[in-house]
Amino acid sequence: MSKPATKPVQQSVAMHYPWQQDQWQQLALQIEQQRLPHALLLTGSKYIGKYQFALSLAQRLLCHAPVGGYSCGQCKSCHLVMSGGHPDNFKIEPEEEGKAIKIDLIRQLGEFVAKTSQQGGWKVIIISPAESMNINASNALLKSLEEPGPNTLLILVCNEPSRLSATIRSRCRMVKFPVPSISKVRPWLAQVAGQNEEIEQLLHYSNGCPLLALQLLETDLLERRRKFVGLIDDLSEHRISALTVAEACQENDSPMMVDWLYSHLALMIKSGKKGVSKRLVFRYMDTLMQAKRQMQSTANPNIQLLWEELLLNWQQLFKR
Ligand SMILES: [Zn+2]
């Protein structure tokens, strides 16, 4: 497994990604015309760089000497944003990935919003992922959204806006980030990954989400996924038993592998696999999502058994 040949150079400019140019220009214009709203909701799939976009926007607003609509990357403020120590840039995340953002943090945000900025300019808050706020945190945030004060920008980074309360959504201006076109991602990935014969496969496995493609490249996930797909194809062709595959599935993160199975099936259907009933496929996709929820539940599920059921049902889809 080859590692990226060229790593991005350490710099103090938080640049947005090439596929975010339209959103950037739109906001840059609003900054210039001084009509930036007080709260933005950045929405779109995970792994397409919304957080990086939020950071570059924060840096642009806090920079002491922006050049041509971008942060300078040289001033003290730019350096502080990049090092994570800017006193006027408040970032809120769950303590652990996948956990909730609790009310204590939103209370701190309230205090931050009430104070004047330390460097005399903007105050920028980034909440990511915003859908992780529990109900109390979410209610507490509403107050800050109502009275943010001048030169204060709240940026909510959100993968699943439907999980945010309607009131919060209605108080933010939404900026949408669609999954970028392959033509935009390919040159970027080639630049970051160096000449790499795996690029097409990375794009294929990441469903066009560029940062996921990068993560696959930097870890052994691509290799693991390839092995898994190999087993699944053997299973479809009845060359191997569901029990053997179920045992092999124990070694990995099960919910992630359910996603792999889901997207493998989606790709098979897209590529026009013959002789498979669409009705059964859709029902199976529902079963997959249910199994994933069970695997993630705290009720100590029997993972081996769940996999056996899933894989036996998988084999049924490809009955000879
Ligand atoms: Zn600067």
Side-chain angles (χ1 to χ4, degrees), residues 74-298:
Q74 313 277 325
C75 69
K76 188 177 160 216
S77 194
C78 279
H79 283 284
L80 283 172
V81 170
M82 285 307 276
S83 67
H86 199 297
D88 295 325
N89 184 199
F90 191 62
K91 287 182 266 186
I92 295 183
E93 293 165 21
E95 280 169 18
E96 258 180 82
E97 206 188 326
K99 294 275 157 64
I101 292 175
K102 296 190 190 136
I103 190 166
D104 309 15
L105 279 172
I106 304 296
R107 285 206 182 107
Q108 286 175 33
L109 182 157
E111 289 162 22
F112 176 83
V113 168
K115 280 191 296 198
T116 49
S117 77
Q118 301 225 6
Q119 305 220 345
W122 279 83
K123 285 184 292 179
V124 185
I125 301 115
I126 303 175
I127 306 180
S128 174
E131 66 269 31
S132 299
M133 284 185 291
N134 66 19
I135 184 88
N136 291 336
S138 173
N139 287 339
L141 179 70
L142 281 175
K143 195 171 153 43
S144 300
L145 279 170
E146 269 164 22
E147 309 156 9
N151 286 352
T152 302
L153 178 68
L154 263 142
I155 309 175
L156 277 65
V157 178
C158 185
N159 305 317
E160 294 177 66
S162 61
R163 283 175 56 198
L164 281 180
S165 79
T167 330
I168 288 195
R169 284 201 306 263
S170 71
R171 301 218 170 133
C172 304
R173 187 177 302 163
M174 196 186 281
V175 184
K176 288 184 185 168
F177 291 82
V179 173
S181 67
I182 295 283
S183 64
K184 281 192 178 147
V185 176
R186 193 182 279 118
W188 173 81
L189 197 57
Q191 199 185 14
V192 181
Q195 278 310 315
N196 192 312
E197 70 271 18
E198 286 167 332
I199 281 185
E200 293 307 316
Q201 203 166 17
L202 287 167
L203 287 169
H204 177 74
Y205 279 158
S206 56
N207 296 325
C209 293
L211 303 190
L212 181 59
L214 191 62
Q215 197 185 78
L216 289 174
L217 184 73
E218 287 175 335
T219 60
D220 66 343
L221 277 178
L222 187 62
E223 194 48 45
R224 274 156 63 188
R225 181 160 175 163
R226 234 186 248 133
K227 262 193 206 157
F228 175 71
V229 167
L231 287 172
I232 293 299
D233 286 341
D234 282 347
L235 184 66
S236 318
E237 300 291 330
H238 296 254
R239 286 194 290 259
I240 193 172
S241 79
L243 293 189
T244 313
V245 184
E247 266 167 37
C249 288
Q250 304 287 311
E251 295 163 19
N252 283 299
D253 167 2
S254 286
M256 177 180 73
M257 288 170 79
V258 171
D259 286 340
W260 291 353
L261 198 52
Y262 191 99
S263 64
H264 187 55
L265 185 57
L267 285 168
M268 284 171 86
I269 300 308
K270 219 163 114 186
S271 64
K273 171 96 179 163
K274 296 273 186 298
V276 184
S277 148
K278 284 235 167 91
R279 187 179 56 85
L280 289 182
V281 165
F282 290 130
R283 196 192 289 166
Y284 187 73
M285 285 175 154
D286 286 342
T287 312
L288 279 176
M289 289 303 99
Q290 276 172 25
K292 185 178 165 185
R293 279 195 291 275
Q294 277 177 282
M295 286 168 176
Q296 289 169 320
S297 85
T298 49

